[in-house]
Amino acid sequence: MSKKRIMVQMPVTPGIRSVLDERDDVEYERFTELSEENILQHIANYDGAILGGVAPFTARIVGNASRLAVVSRHGVGYDNVDVAALTAAGIPLTVTGTANSVTVAEHSLFFMMSLAKHAVKFDREVRKGNWDIRFENTAIDLAGRRVLILGFGRIGQILVKRCLGMDMDVWVHDPYAPDEAIRAAGAAPATDWKALLPELDFLSVNCPKTDETTGMVGKAELAAMKPSAYVVNTARGGIVEEAALVDALERRIIAGAAVDAFEVEPATADNPLFALDNILVSPHSAGVTEESMFRMGAACAQNVVDCFDGKLDPANVVNREVLG
């Protein structure tokens, strides 16, 4: 019996192994040289591909993928994948569903709490012996504060629960989610979300990066917010325009921000955001914990073998039209 071959474009994690090592009808190989040219040379030899989210999966690659039955993202973002090319070729693109949804939602809330409590500034100043920093730069409660969550997908829905648990006043904008569903979750729908900006204490970005959402939060939107407001982005770089955010933070148009995703990744030390004292950053790690890494690895590998077995869950497929 010939085995199905899987290209793995990332470290083979325990989660991936937990699924693939149980199968005697598949074999996998890790690729570390992820240039388009190298992938082009080899993709025709594989029935499945697991993507780590770094290297682009282009139309040229898809065009060479004569055996490819499925592309599986280790995660939920897929802005580096040519979905149209996969769809034209009849190849499903899968994501890991809710595997890291709780993790990203927790990170969003962690960012809000850290900003509200001036966690980084207090830590630095107390180490210098500045005990009076608690009065010089007073923290705020989350309770009673108004937050607008952009996106009511898997992460946004969980974040709504977390924010309600902190007694926040929660609003949600998502043009693809029914208002009834948002209200049923305990939040208020914000159809005209820009009109709400002057009233917000927190703006949390939790939507996918698409042509529609790229640059969604720019100079005008930041200028509309009050000087005490905070912006949190745990989604993708570019949804919040970095140049506009730098300007807003430098001129104290808003009080601060927390950013996990950048327009250019990995972000380098010369990124102008890093020179500011009113921003908290993390290395695109919002979805990365011990638990979520195992779940994502197992889920992305399961998507591949489920496709081979003819029982792929449509809920995990981005381009469901290929399923017929």
Side-chain angles (χ1 to χ4, degrees), residues 233-306:
N233 183 12
T234 56
R236 283 292 187 271
I239 299 175
V240 179
E241 292 182 358
E242 276 189 22
L245 183 60
V246 169
D247 179 68
L249 292 170
E250 284 180 338
R251 297 197 289 131
R252 307 286 170 168
I253 291 172
I254 60 173
V259 174
D260 181 63
F262 301 84
E263 290 181 0
V264 177
E265 294 185 347
T268 53
D270 59 352
N271 188 309
L273 287 171
F274 299 163
L276 305 174
D277 64 359
N278 53 348
I279 187 169
L280 178 63
V281 295
S282 57
H284 206 143
S285 59
V288 181
T289 60
E290 290 181 12
E291 297 88 349
S292 72
M293 287 297 287
F294 187 92
R295 292 192 299 264
M296 284 192 289
C300 75
Q302 192 65 51
N303 283 336
V304 173
V305 297
D306 280 352

Side-chain angles (χ1 to χ4, degrees), residues 83-270:
V83 182
L86 286 176
T87 302
I91 301 169
L93 169 65
T94 66
V95 292
T96 55
T98 60
N100 70 349
S101 301
V102 166
T103 308
V104 178
E106 283 189 3
H107 202 88
S108 300
L109 185 60
F110 152 74
F111 267 164
M112 290 185 215
M113 295 184 73
S114 298
L115 291 168
K117 306 305 178 184
H118 304 306
V120 175
K121 181 177 289 187
F122 280 12
D123 177 84
R124 290 173 180 167
E125 290 300 312
V126 171
R127 291 169 188 267
K128 298 174 187 177
N130 181 8
W131 199 253
D132 290 334
I133 187 64
R134 58 185 177 151
F135 300 122
E136 296 167 5
N137 201 212
T138 312
I140 63 171
D141 293 334
L142 289 186
R145 298 289 174 171
R146 175 167 288 189
V147 57
L148 170 61
I149 298 170
L150 296 179
F152 194 62
R154 299 177 181 97
I155 295 165
Q157 291 173 37
I158 295 172
L159 183 57
V160 166
K161 295 178 183 178
R162 301 298 187 269
C163 291
L164 289 172
M166 301 300 295
D167 293 328
M168 300 182 79
D169 182 10
V170 185
W171 290 72
V172 172
H173 172 73
D174 190 327
Y176 303 102
D179 286 355
E180 316 86 76
I182 294 172
R183 291 192 186 97
T191 304
D192 185 4
W193 67 277
K194 293 184 181 182
L196 196 63
L197 290 172
E199 305 173 36
L200 298 181
D201 298 293
F202 292 90
L203 174 65
S204 183
V205 179
N206 300 96
C207 56
K209 184 178 182 181
T210 64
D211 290 343
E212 184 179 3
T213 62
T214 298
M216 186 177 186
V217 181
K219 183 176 181 179
E221 290 74 25
L222 294 168
M225 300 179 74
K226 57 188 181 183
S228 59
Y230 296 98
V231 171
V232 170
N233 183 12
T234 56
R236 283 292 187 271
I239 299 175
V240 179
E241 292 182 358
E242 276 189 22
L245 183 60
V246 169
D247 179 68
L249 292 170
E250 284 180 338
R251 297 197 289 131
R252 307 286 170 168
I253 291 172
I254 60 173
V259 174
D260 181 63
F262 301 84
E263 290 181 0
V264 177
E265 294 185 347
T268 53
D270 59 352

Side-chain angles (χ1 to χ4, degrees), residues 68-79:
L68 199 64
V70 61
V71 173
S72 181
R73 261 288 286 127
H74 183 273
V76 295
Y78 48 87
D79 44 289

